[in-house]
Amino acid sequence: MLNQESLNRINKEIAKYPVARKQSAVMAALHIAQEEKGWLSNEVMDFVAELLEIRPIQVYEVATFYSMYELAPAGKHKICICTNVSCMLCGSDTVVAHLEKKLGVKLGQTTDDGRFTLKEVECLAVCGGAPMMQIDKQCYENLTPEKIDSILETLE
Amino acid sequence: MVSFEIDGKKVEAEEGSMVIHAADAAGIYIPRFCYHKKLSIAANCRMCLVEVEKAPKPLPACATPVVEGMKVFTQSAQAIDAQKGTMEFLLINHPLDCPICDQGGECELQDLAVGYGGDVSRFQENKRVVLNKDLGTLISTDMTRCIHCTRCVRFGQEIAGIMELGATGRGEHMEIGTYIEHSIDSELSGNVIDLCPVGALTSKPFRYSARTWELNDVAAVSPHDAVGSNLYLQVRRDRVMRALPRDNAAVNECWLSDRDRFSYEALNSEQRLVLPMIRVNGELQATDWKTALDFTVKGLSKVIDLCGSDSIGALAASNATLEEYYLLQKLVRGLGSSNIDHRLRQSDFSHDAVAPLFPSIGLPIADIEQQQGVLIIGSNVRKEQPIIGLRLRKAFLGAARIMAINAVDYEFSFDLAHKVITPPKQFVASLSRIAKKLANETGTTIPAAVGDWAGDVAVSDSEQDIAKVLAQTGNQTALLMGQLAVSHEYYDSIYQISQVIADMIGATVGTMLSANSAGAWLAGCVPHRGVLGSTENNPGLNAGQMQKQSLKAYILFGVEPELDCVDGANASNAIGSADFVVNLSSFMSSASDYADVQLPLAAFSETSGTYINGEGRVQSFGGAVSPKGEARPGWKILRVLGNMFELDGFDYTSSPEVFAELDLSNLEPSAKLREVAIMAPPKTETTSEIDLERICEVPLYASDPLVRRAHALQACADNPPPAARVNAAQAKELNFSSGTKINAHMGAAIVALELIIDDRIPNGCILIPSGYPETAALGGPGMTRVVRA
Ligand code: SF4
Ligand code: FES
Ligand code: FES
């Protein structure tokens, strides 16, 4: 199900916890699985459950709780827009509207060319730079439509 | 002990306990949804907020530990305000559909809304909608009503031990469900219906059939397993509408197995036998009681006159009442025969002479939790005795090391410390090796026969491990034999050697049987002992013999020979070829094909009586409803037959009068054999290489006539259609794959089944369940030849 490298990484995570607490590695294991596969299919989650010797539903609970996990195939770049209070007050609505228009997809959707997935997320703790978004592993602050355009141009 | 005050009242509580515990003990009510005394504390509903002196804001009583001198106010302005606020939030997303909700009338949210809810809602926005889930045939869902207390989730995780429900999503998107749609197959799943404080999870069979306030509760005892779970039958207009658990800390606590909860459906089955019937010119015809009873007496008398009283015999189900057993044996013995038995699924009766007073699990049910070690011998205990399974899980969560010798690697709700998974034929040898090793460890001498059984095979690692653990857990150990042991061809040797093991360490040994197996023994419903274990000078034939050698007349009491006997095929042949068969039964069944007279028998809900459970607990109950149609309680039918045969001592006017004839004080649950005498092992039979040993389990929803007619249980995922199961390696060797249509041959019988690959089965074995008409022709355990159909 997962390649040897991912398995090795997961085993390293498991080793960080007491033997009887294998399940503590669930979040790390899901991240690693997602990095390899791009998203978490039911089969991948069931596999992780088996690895950690927990029931599949325990993995689903975690995977559905955090917005960082993808439960459907996602685009090459994941654009996460914070719409929580600080960002909302500083204009996240404009950010959302601009991105939706520019990419031609709604929140939660992926562009036809598979390049971008647009996601609404809760506070990412960068309220000082509101409105903000996170693309893949990078945060972008004090967004304006122009700034967004130039950021997107740098991405393949 | 910590002393403090709730609402000005001085209370004391255990250190580390929560305010809600102390309040409950003191009879001070604090509203709650997520808190449940048997579940872990989640503190997620916030309904239990109370004011605590010096605390800046209200605290949840269920998660606030008691502190010396603290002052708690449950009714202060701050507390009430907080509780009302919580209620308003809870009602934001809760639909206002009480009039069409089955929970209405027994809904905790409805009740508390009366006390704490507002009269109008300030919420103007849209309520959220959650799609319903299909959880199978037992539980109906209306998930929009869910208030996310997570009681159902915690039940699966903590009590049932198999987590099937979970909370997925977050915040407003949180949902309770299985995520990937599948039914819940825990044998205890129905308990979430009781736990759910709202109408999100309700009973599917009961759905829309009655309002709770129309129902009367009648205390009853469940007729399915050795636990004898206490229940309430809920009755409306003389019909049992539902069964609910009746709290009894020593027996079932507040839980009920699905079998106990949903089998009531069969009470109203269309297959109920509602009229007496006699066979005239080869056809069964309905008639009145007088004619049927005359016919019975004439028929039996004729057989006795022609062939002697030894030529009649009686077979009784293992869940008849004590009173029924007593009168049945009194009748049969009065007629001059001792051919009476109830042990229909037992094959080996060699230890009858040294058997204990009555069979038991060997210790009080509640004590199972405190054991340090448990050895399960031939049992799918989780399914055979769900409540004992639950207690074992508690023992496991404590410190117990649970081990098993089994023919199937069953999935339990606890981990096994060590296990031996072996063909049934190897049970005795394996036990003997454990006994030998243990004798070594403890420096005890044991009977030489144990060594003979052990053979030359080296002690396996798991056998060694089991012996080592047993040596450590000592007298804090319970040995529990289950159905695969009891129906084993060498049950006697299994029992004897188990006892040898138990004696070495001071452990208890016991069998997990049926609802009133203990009562049957005590009432004398065995061929070799009379009432309360008295010696029978003229021992009659046991159930095994009566199934093999055909008698001239049989009395069947609540038995479907084809499905209830260990070798159903032979049993129905033997009984079917008798001259005269009296069938006392609650249902039309395959026995109706050859019965000469059928007497409609009241079901457990329709008669007063007594069950004695596997710990020797005597539990009497009254009837909840009147018998269906012309059916009559067994004790009345037997009393009248006694009178008609002009036997002495059949003048009872009530079942308590019958009961009073038995002195049942001090029933200690000890299943120890009176003496150990181990038989020499048989000569090793040469079996053909290509034959497989049949593992003959009786699945949980095939166990007795009642469950076999409970629709929802029959249709549930835990009751798959009978199939033949072998492990992958075995299948490969035979060149079969999953789904292959095969013919199983045993003796002259051939049965067509589908093959399923199941890696719980050891090599050399095939699991073909019994208790189903589809497999009945095969008979009992034995060697099977499997060929492609
Ligand atoms: S379904 Fe019922 S028991 Fe389960 S979380 Fe919802 S309200 Fe609680
Ligand atoms: S509110 Fe947007 S980052 Fe905190
Ligand atoms: S009962 Fe205390 S928070 Fe739910």
Side-chain angles (χ1 to χ4, degrees), chain A residues 23 40 42 45-46 55-58 60-62 64-67 71 122, chain B residues 153 157 161-171 177-180 411:
Chain A
Q23 67 193 75
L40 299 171
N42 292 342
M45 290 194 277
D46 290 351
R55 303 291 294 191
I57 183 73
Q58 293 175 286
Y60 309 151
E61 284 188 332
V62 174
T64 55
F65 188 87
Y66 296 102
S67 52
L71 302 172
E122 306 301 331
Chain B
V153 177
Q157 211 167 7
I162 310 275
M163 185 170 170
E164 293 178 292
L165 287 172
T168 55
R170 174 182 190 173
T178 49
Y179 188 66
I180 294 174
E411 186 188 15

Side-chain angles (χ1 to χ4, degrees), chain B residues 554-568:
Chain B
Y554 285 90
I555 303 171
L556 300 176
F557 195 94
V559 178
E560 284 178 75
E562 189 192 22
L563 304 178
D564 288 331
C565 291
V566 66
D567 185 349

Side-chain angles (χ1 to χ4, degrees), chain B residues 316-328:
Chain B
S318 46
N319 55 4
T321 65
L322 178 79
E323 294 79 355
E324 289 165 343
Y325 284 133
Y326 178 71
L327 292 183
L328 181 64

Side-chain angles (χ1 to χ4, degrees), chain B residues 143 145-153 165 174 176 192 195-201:
Chain B
M143 293 323 284
R145 298 181 187 141
C146 171
I147 57 166
H148 299 161
C149 70
T150 70
R151 278 187 188 178
C152 55
V153 177
L165 287 172
M174 176 171 162
I176 298 290
V192 299
L195 287 172
C196 183
V198 297
L201 306 175

Side-chain angles (χ1 to χ4, degrees), chain A residues 36 44 74-75 80 82 91 105 122 130 134 143 145 155:
Chain A
E36 182 191 326
V44 167
C80 301
C82 169
V105 290
E122 306 301 331
Q134 179 183 346
L143 300 174
L155 299 171

